[in-house]
Amino acid sequence: MIIEGKQTTVAYRCPHCGGGVISAVGLFSLNADMVKLKCDCGKSHMTVVYGKDDKIRMTVPCMVCPNPHQFTVSKSLFFEKDLFVLPCPYSDLNVAVMGEMNGVKAELARGELELLDLLEQSGIEDAERLRREAEELPDPQIMDIVMFVIRELDAEGKIYCRCDEQSDEREYEAEVTAEGILVSCKACGASRLIPTDSSLSAHAFLNADALYLE
């Protein structure tokens, strides 16, 4: 009897040359060792590891962040979804795609158009320069802490602005800047900058029980 192992297609875009990297990944190969997808330019790679807890852990290079992102997904999601994307938490650009081969290729092509549009809007010629400029942003680990707290406060209704508290028009957004994370209300324009220049300030914000925009 032949046992057919589970298999899916995984892809990412190289932040150095901008090329798409795509490969089939099977459960048997994951059980054997870590799978590493390497770009032909030799400057980036993505790793996929199957843990003993039945979780798939991925380390994915990012087009805009200086350090790769870490993702953990279930085995069923990794192997059974027709299409699943993993976005950069700061830019919303998809940094990894997995699923059925044709769907992954189509999403990779769509992502390329989105990247070209971003480069054009930013006045940047290529992916390498986009990455160099991104390195001027704050430490992603510090920003992770701040973004987590902002999302939690928003979910709990503890972000306050000039809008009436019962207003349905309130809509908050968080923008990453060189100085920190700017939280603002689209309706009334109130905002507040959360510094991300040190781990001390980030951990202090971790204990915040509310966020007031001015």
Side-chain angles (χ1 to χ4, degrees), residues 94-159:
N94 293 332
V95 295
V97 190
M98 65 195 74
E100 187 271 331
M101 173 71 79
N102 290 331
V104 169
K105 287 182 176 179
E107 178 59 30
L108 203 61
R110 189 201 66 79
E112 182 175 5
L113 294 176
E114 186 178 15
L115 174 62
L116 291 173
D117 185 56
L118 174 64
L119 293 174
E120 182 178 354
Q121 291 179 12
S122 305
I124 297 175
E125 296 85 3
D126 54 43
E128 183 70 31
R129 182 180 165 193
L130 177 66
R131 184 174 177 80
R132 287 199 305 270
E133 294 198 0
E135 289 176 353
E136 298 176 2
L137 294 175
D139 185 338
Q141 289 186 338
I142 295 176
M143 291 174 58
D144 281 340
I145 298 172
V146 175
M147 290 294 286
F148 171 79
V149 177
I150 292 171
R151 285 193 292 266
E152 288 293 301
L153 293 175
D154 189 18
E156 295 171 5
K158 293 182 178 179
I159 298 181

Side-chain angles (χ1 to χ4, degrees), residues 13-146:
R13 188 165 298 284
C14 175
H16 297 279
C17 70
V21 183
I22 187 168
S23 176
V25 175
L27 180 58
F28 288 162
S29 61
L30 282 178
N31 280 329
D33 201 352
M34 173 180 70
V35 172
K36 183 180 291 187
L37 285 69
K38 296 181 180 179
C39 181
D40 290 340
C41 76
K43 293 183 178 181
S44 74
H45 66 267
M46 170 184 175
T47 60
V48 185
V49 179
Y50 179 37
K52 294 180 179 179
D53 56 357
D54 269 1
K55 302 290 186 181
I56 310 295
R57 290 174 173 81
M58 290 165 280
T59 302
V60 189
C62 181
M63 295 298 301
V64 296
C65 296
N67 295 319
H69 296 299
Q70 309 286 333
F71 299 98
T72 300
V73 300
S74 66
K75 182 176 70 174
S76 59
L77 188 152
F78 186 82
F79 284 108
E80 296 173 12
K81 278 279 189 179
D82 287 337
L83 186 67
F84 190 77
V85 298
L86 297 170
C88 164
Y90 310 119
S91 67
D92 283 335
L93 283 175
N94 293 332
V95 295
V97 190
M98 65 195 74
E100 187 271 331
M101 173 71 79
N102 290 331
V104 169
K105 287 182 176 179
E107 178 59 30
L108 203 61
R110 189 201 66 79
E112 182 175 5
L113 294 176
E114 186 178 15
L115 174 62
L116 291 173
D117 185 56
L118 174 64
L119 293 174
E120 182 178 354
Q121 291 179 12
S122 305
I124 297 175
E125 296 85 3
D126 54 43
E128 183 70 31
R129 182 180 165 193
L130 177 66
R131 184 174 177 80
R132 287 199 305 270
E133 294 198 0
E135 289 176 353
E136 298 176 2
L137 294 175
D139 185 338
Q141 289 186 338
I142 295 176
M143 291 174 58
D144 281 340
I145 298 172
V146 175

